Amino acid sequence: MSRDAAFSPVLKKKSADLRFTWYRIDSTRRYKNEKDSNMKKIIVIGGGAAGMAAAIAAAENGCAATIYEKNEKLGKKIYITGKGRCNVTNDCDMEGLFDSVVTNSRFLYSAFYGFSNQDMKDFLEANGCHVKVERGNRVFPVSDRASDVTSAFARRLRELRVKVELNQGVRELWLEDGVLKGVILAQGGNERGKKDSYIAADAVIVATGGLSYPTTGSTGDGYRFAEAAGHKVTELSPALVPFETKEDVKELQGLSLRNVEAAVLNGKKEVYREFGEMLFTHYGVSGPVLLSASSYAAKKLKKGPLTLMIDLKPALSMEQLDARILRDFEAEKNKQFKNVIGVLFPSSLTPVMLELGGIPADKKIHDISREERQHFIDLIKAFPFTITGMGEFKEAIITKGGVSVKEINPGTMESKKISGLYFAGEVLDLDAVTGGYNLQIAWSTAYLAAQAIA
């Protein structure tokens, strides 16, 4: 039985009750009196993916929402995601969403069912950002411009008259005797000598992101807020980040290989295996298939080096590959080995395979033994590397670790320690592989938090 079927009695009801409505509500709706005492005052800390989503959902549900963003613009990290194209979500089924979450996937049932990947696509389409689905079910703007995603959110924020305070960070949560009162701003952009400003709120949503790409403002503020409120923050490490290898791969730098299979091993135990695209860097390996591997390998790598095996021809079994090479050899049996194997690999990879293959480059094809040929096939099916490290937070797409979800209500995203305090997005101990899943976590948890408050 699938997880969808197993949870359907409860979750399908939740889905109906919590279904996202950004794209269904009349865009001309206005909240005429923001001082209405009956309107809940919500403060959202952070104007990134989760922050913008939370503020829109709160306003759509009749709350007065204000975003405090310390950067000069909203969605700063969104502009650089997906190499500037922004992989907004993944067009897989619900089972695929859960299977792609590396850490604490069960925590996300209410969030994913409350606001799904299809809801995200509908929202963007309704707000002027048309989307397309590419290989691996990855969803991108038709324009290939990440700025169009941010513009869709900014447009809706304006329509709902959500207050957006740019260049204004939050110094700390306003807590009195364990009760959340609001937030404390640092006036004048944290200038010395300026008095703090206490802003009252009925609820606060912390959507500050993690530590990845610190130049976009992800400097760990949310973890500090959480710890001040008595929350545990789990160990933090870079995730979806390139690997460093013991082997010198500079001559392969820039080479991209499609349709390979990568396997990461800890001794004889398999840590990760996946099919996809990889890239050689000046110090190691990267690309979608290996970025995802980093999320599984991070903790084990701290205890020592790991082995990476690349299957360069995963579509062929050992026997099929042997038959293919034999055909090539038979057709060119009087030529030198170096002049025949070029059809198997990209030009920049061929010298490396010659060096490691154990067959002299100038050896005639008809003189190559079965054992030599088998050794070469083994190399093609298991091209070996030694993983010695990973990139830093400045290279990481996301942060692994965060506010412990054991202390967060999975049905509301509210703190179990402080009433009225909510968390959404990367600040939580949630992470997934590449493919749009991490942004979907941000959209879904943000909506659930705002819906619960409203």
Side-chain angles (χ1 to χ4, degrees), residues 3-22:
R3 276 181 286 197
D4 287 1
F7 285 81
S8 60
V10 174
L11 293 174
K12 286 184 179 177
K13 181 178 186 303
K14 280 182 176 288
S15 179
D17 292 344
L18 301 180
R19 184 61 60 190
F20 204 47
T21 56
W22 288 349

Side-chain angles (χ1 to χ4, degrees), residues 140-300:
F140 292 91
V142 169
S143 65
D144 286 328
R145 292 194 300 265
S147 58
D148 286 355
V149 177
T150 306
S151 295
F153 277 91
R155 186 179 303 113
R156 192 64 179 138
L157 288 167
R158 288 193 299 271
E159 289 175 347
L160 294 167
R161 295 184 179 177
V162 171
K163 290 183 178 179
V164 177
E165 300 288 349
L166 298 176
N167 297 304
Q168 180 59 77
V170 170
R171 176 172 289 178
E172 58 187 290
L173 298 176
W174 177 9
L175 298 167
E176 292 184 5
D177 299 323
V179 177
L180 180 70
K181 299 290 187 178
V183 299
I184 304 174
L185 307 180
Q187 295 302 302
N190 295 328
E191 290 180 17
R192 295 178 113 189
K194 297 288 185 178
K195 291 185 178 181
D196 289 336
S197 178
Y198 290 73
I199 308 297
D202 296 300
V204 173
I205 300 176
V206 178
T208 50
L211 289 170
S212 57
Y213 292 129
T215 55
T216 64
S218 299
T219 53
D221 294 343
Y223 305 133
R224 178 169 54 84
F225 299 151
E227 288 177 330
H231 280 276
K232 176 185 177 182
V233 175
T234 63
E235 183 180 1
L236 305 171
S237 63
L240 303 186
V241 68
F243 284 124
E244 299 170 1
T245 61
K246 178 181 177 181
E247 295 77 14
D248 186 350
V249 296
K250 288 187 178 67
E251 60 186 302
L252 295 175
Q253 182 179 349
L255 173 62
S256 177
L257 298 176
R258 289 190 174 186
N259 305 321
V260 299
E261 185 176 67
V264 178
L265 306 173
N266 184 11
K268 294 183 179 181
K269 187 175 181 181
E270 186 172 291
V271 175
Y272 172 89
R273 181 182 293 272
E274 191 55 77
F275 174 89
E277 184 177 347
M278 66 168 291
L279 171 73
F280 288 96
T281 68
H282 68 287
Y283 60 83
V285 289
S286 184
V289 71
L290 292 169
L291 291 175
S292 292
S294 69
S295 292
Y296 292 90
K299 290 184 179 180
K300 293 177 176 60

Side-chain angles (χ1 to χ4, degrees), residues 21-38:
T21 56
W22 288 349
Y23 54 89
R24 295 193 181 98
I25 293 180
D26 181 0
S27 63
T28 62
R29 179 175 174 179
R30 297 289 185 268
Y31 298 115
K32 297 179 180 179
N33 185 3
E34 293 184 357
K35 295 182 179 180
D36 184 347
S37 60
N38 293 322

Side-chain angles (χ1 to χ4, degrees), residues 74-151:
L74 294 171
K76 195 168 183 178
K77 187 176 177 181
I78 289 176
Y79 285 96
I80 62 173
T81 61
K83 297 179 180 179
R85 297 174 62 217
C86 190
N87 180 190
V88 291
T89 188
N90 193 283
D91 195 38
C92 62
D93 58 19
M94 193 61 69
E95 190 76 10
L97 281 181
F98 289 113
D99 286 344
S100 299
V101 177
V102 178
T103 307
N104 298 315
S105 62
R106 291 181 64 87
F107 178 82
L108 287 163
Y109 276 112
S110 294
F112 278 167
Y113 276 94
F115 177 54
S116 70
N117 46 357
Q118 297 305 314
D119 290 325
M120 184 59 203
K121 290 169 60 181
D122 289 341
F123 167 73
L124 289 173
E125 290 283 350
N127 285 278
C129 179
H130 301 299
V131 297
K132 59 183 176 180
V133 180
E134 297 187 357
R135 191 171 61 167
N137 291 321
R138 296 169 186 242
V139 180
F140 292 91
V142 169
S143 65
D144 286 328
R145 292 194 300 265
S147 58
D148 286 355
V149 177
T150 306
S151 295

Side-chain angles (χ1 to χ4, degrees), residues 318-335:
M318 297 284 273
E319 294 76 15
Q320 290 171 329
L321 181 58
D322 189 26
R324 156 76 190 279
I325 290 176
L326 275 173
R327 286 196 301 272
D328 292 341
F329 280 10
E330 184 63 27
E332 309 284 355
K333 57 186 176 182
N334 293 317
K335 289 189 175 182

